[in-house]
Amino acid sequence: MPEERLQKILARAGLGSRRACEEIIVAGRVTVAGRVVTELGVKVDPAVAEIRVDGRPVVGERHRYIMLHKPAGYLSGADRRAEYPSWQKLVKAPERLFAVGRLDQDSEGLLLLTNDGRLAHRLTHPRYEHPKTYLVQVAGFPDPRKIRRLQHGVMLDDGPTAPAQVILLRQAPEPFAAGGPASESNRRTSWLRVTLHEGRQRQLRRMVGLLGHPARRVIRVGLGPLELTNLPSGKWRDLTPDEVQALRAAARRGAPTDGPVRQPERTTERQPASTPSTIAIDGPSASGKSTIGALLAEELDYLYFDTGVMYRAITWVALARQVPIADEAAVTALAEQVKLEVLAPTVDDGRDVTVLADGEDITTAIRQPKVERAVSPVSAYRGVRAAMTLQQRRIGQAGRVVMVGRDIGTVVMPDADLKIYLDASVRERANRRYREQLARGEKSDLEQVLAEMKRRDHIDSNRQHAPLTAAPDAIVVDSTALDIDEVLVLVRGLLERWATPKAR
Ligand code: DC
């Protein structure tokens, strides 16, 4: 990441306006890598610098969720060369926000802005069909037959539309009925309330246009669980905590494969032969395999299963019960006895899975540094691996799974249809882990993380049983210089290639 002024980084982390952050710096409350910085204008790389305010680490960038009532004439994208201004003219926030989904330049209403890429991905992926509700002012008076056609679907040039909810309103909706005496042209219009579960280019305008009632105004008033209420045009506000929670829950509901092991809704219906049914993703720590695996599973409606949580869980139980990590027989006995369950999230705190050991929720605990330090030796034990591999194979046999770990392509599912080995330089991976720890509000030191990462790489790659290595038939993807979206594009390309037998 490029270097940036310290006050800008602090403002983005939610410590106040840039001006307020300058005062914090001048007051001597800020340290960078342990040294107090009081002069303004110092530039640092936010991805690697260890910045603290009053001794507390500064978390990279807080997630921010903003609802904007976009007026017509503004773009939901950010094209500097475009002839219309973008929403960025209306919302001033220090975070790097982007719009979730698009809203046409001539349409109005609810635009969600955030810097939470993962949530945005889940909300916009066509597979999940989050409902969007619009008030549409159309020319003329559509008769009941036309309303029914809109409800059942009309044939557009890119295919039939999916069923939609359409209601003809008796009168203009309150805040949108333009003030003053209704003009002649306004009088010869009607208002519809339409809920769509898909979002093609200018779909709504094309639908009503096709039926002979061109749209005059299109106003989005609902997006998933969010409603545009009492927010004047051109104004914005942060979502309330309840709205954020509802949004997260909706994103998860839309993602049927969030939970690993126990997942009754996984159908046995066969995927077309052109999609690999078992996908193995291996790679070292922080190579991005969990994020990519989870997103890929969502897209394919597959089970996502991160095998690392099982080794972490055993390690946590050993530490909690004071079983010495060096005692192979005792740790192995534990691995054979403890009842591990990896479930869809049971708590709405942004987690991807819930991990239970003998019924106790240890999802957060297994990410602790002490578990991180001890997990490599635990996962090197043959008996521990045997117990875990058995459970993992059973899950893999059902198919339609994206399984992530260190030995999935080599040992757990050697016959996997598609094997990917995701790698990145150790420095880049250490950077990623360091940022994650700061984001969780933990103390962290980049050099220590780097040393620890190298130590774990060494143990994982050199252990006797199932060492970390790319299967000979795995496709190696180096993510050092790529962000998540770029890796995802590459991986989608691998799926397409897989579908073309000649390319296999
Ligand atoms: O992916 P992770 O960092 O959560 O994995 C935790 C540890 O578990 C890691 O040090 C290696 C080990 N592991 C393994 O040996 N085999 C797997 N299939 C998955 C993880």
Side-chain angles (χ1 to χ4, degrees), residues 285 289 307-308 311-312 367 375-376 379 385 405-408 456 460 463:
S285 308
K289 52 190 190 317
T307 56
Y311 293 97
R312 286 174 180 266
R367 300 285 158 197
V375 67
S376 282
S379 62
R385 299 208 72 80
R406 303 290 192 290
D407 60 341
I408 309 306
R456 283 183 56 194
D460 290 348
R463 67 188 177 209

Side-chain angles (χ1 to χ4, degrees), residues 463-484:
R463 67 188 177 209
Q464 200 185 346
H465 311 291
L468 170 66
T469 175
D473 51 346
I475 295 156
V476 178
V477 175
D478 187 329
S479 74
T480 307
L482 305 177
D483 63 27
I484 293 170

Side-chain angles (χ1 to χ4, degrees), residues 359-380:
E360 185 181 354
D361 187 343
I362 56 169
T363 313
T364 316
I366 61 171
R367 300 285 158 197
Q368 288 170 358
K370 64 178 183 191
V371 174
E372 193 102 4
R373 274 193 296 278
V375 67
S376 282
V378 166
S379 62

